[in-house]
Amino acid sequence: MCCGSQDTMASDRFENCQRLVYSDFAAFAHVLGVDPTDGSLSALAARVCYESPLPPHWTEQVDDQGRIYFYNNLADTSSWGHPLDEAFTATLAVVKELESPEISVEIASSKCQAHLESVFQWAQDALKGWAGPFEAASPDEGKLEYFCNMEKGESSWLNPCLSYEYNLTVRHRILTAVLTEVGYRTASLEHKPAKVDDAIVSDSGMLQSLKLPLEVIRLAQAPASAPDAMSPATSRGPSLPEGTDTARSFISARSQVLSSRDFDF
């Protein structure tokens, strides 16, 4: 379930996804291992992470004890951890390599591009064997579409291409903000106009080259039908994740207990 957003993500399909409402930025940043007040590139990246909408179909919830958790209304799964925790952590590791004031825009751009290309390759490999959509009949909800990987015996209500594409979109958004700041800082030190590599910063540059192949992969080898047994469970309704003693709260550290969904990056 999605609601309106205040600014536009790189893809229009993601611009209406829900943003964080209950999480506090300072606590959020500390969970990522970042001091939100030190003016570093990591602090800037943490702010972009915090302001990024949740992935499609994810919402932020609070239980009756004030503990924050996340719920996917399409897959009917919940998690104490943010669904993009791993993507945030991996991207912040790249950002920390750019903290040196001596780093050039060219080197920073190269590191950002290398990271995005490696993630893109990972996504391509992970998408092998997926096909759909197929239809599943539900007595309560009628016909539902799902996707499956018959080689791995896995299925998902959510198009896996969309999951990986969003993961790439968020990483690109974080690195765009950081690389732009590197350009400004370098220009300030050299007393020159800021210049940042358009291949990274432009939404029609690096991100577009990453996104289009994922669209091509979708349904490229879809069989005529999939066995009914491959369809995911059709139950719906928020439920707390297991291990409630490790939940994130307004004041406690975020738990590392994650949902069992295949696409929580």
Side-chain angles (χ1 to χ4, degrees), residues 9-161:
M9 291 288 288
S11 172
D12 291 342
R13 281 176 294 177
F14 306 132
E15 67 176 359
N16 292 321
C17 292
Q18 188 193 69
R19 292 175 181 273
L20 296 179
V21 177
Y22 306 108
S23 298
D24 173 74
F25 171 61
F28 179 92
H30 284 302
V31 166
L32 294 175
V34 175
D35 180 351
T37 64
D38 66 4
S40 64
L41 293 176
S42 295
L44 171 62
R47 170 62 71 175
V48 178
C49 293
Y50 177 76
E51 294 178 351
S52 294
L54 290 162
H57 305 289
W58 283 93
T59 59
E60 186 184 28
Q61 307 284 338
V62 177
D63 70 4
D64 56 6
Q65 298 182 49
R67 297 173 299 187
I68 297 172
Y69 67 100
F70 300 88
Y71 174 68
N72 186 307
N73 70 320
L74 186 62
D76 189 29
T77 56
S78 54
S79 167
W80 293 121
H82 191 295
L84 289 172
D85 270 343
E86 292 186 24
F88 292 158
T89 300
T91 309
L92 278 167
V94 177
V95 173
K96 289 178 181 179
E97 297 179 9
L98 313 180
E99 293 285 6
S100 171
E102 286 80 26
I103 194 167
S104 67
V105 175
E106 290 74 21
I107 293 177
S109 177
S110 177
K111 288 180 178 291
C112 291
Q113 183 165 345
H115 174 72
L116 292 175
E117 288 178 348
S118 68
V119 175
F120 175 61
Q121 185 60 55
W122 163 70
Q124 281 190 309
D125 293 342
L127 286 168
K128 290 178 181 177
W130 281 94
F134 304 102
E135 287 190 351
S138 167
D140 300 322
E141 303 179 63
K143 291 184 178 180
L144 302 171
E145 290 187 343
Y146 69 97
F147 300 80
C148 71
N149 188 318
M150 294 184 185
E151 296 177 6
K152 298 180 179 179
E154 300 174 356
S155 59
S156 172
W157 294 118
L158 180 64
N159 181 347
C161 291

Side-chain angles (χ1 to χ4, degrees), residues 178-189:
V178 169
L179 190 55
T180 300
E181 180 63 19
V182 170
Y184 287 134
R185 293 184 180 186
T186 302
S188 177
L189 289 173

Side-chain angles (χ1 to χ4, degrees), residues 222-235:
S225 61
D228 290 340
M230 287 293 296
S231 63
T234 56
S235 62

Side-chain angles (χ1 to χ4, degrees), residues 169-243:
T169 297
V170 170
R171 292 178 194 244
H172 177 275
R173 185 171 186 257
I174 296 166
L175 294 176
T176 292
V178 169
L179 190 55
T180 300
E181 180 63 19
V182 170
Y184 287 134
R185 293 184 180 186
T186 302
S188 177
L189 289 173
E190 299 177 355
H191 305 289
K192 296 179 180 179
K195 184 176 183 239
V196 182
D197 190 343
D198 290 339
I200 292 290
V201 173
S202 173
D203 284 344
S204 61
M206 171 58 70
L207 181 59
Q208 192 73 8
S209 68
L210 291 171
K211 184 171 67 174
L212 289 176
L214 291 181
E215 293 295 327
V216 174
I217 289 172
R218 183 174 57 186
L219 314 186
Q221 301 295 327
S225 61
D228 290 340
M230 287 293 296
S231 63
T234 56
S235 62
R236 292 288 187 272
S239 59
L240 289 175
E242 296 180 359

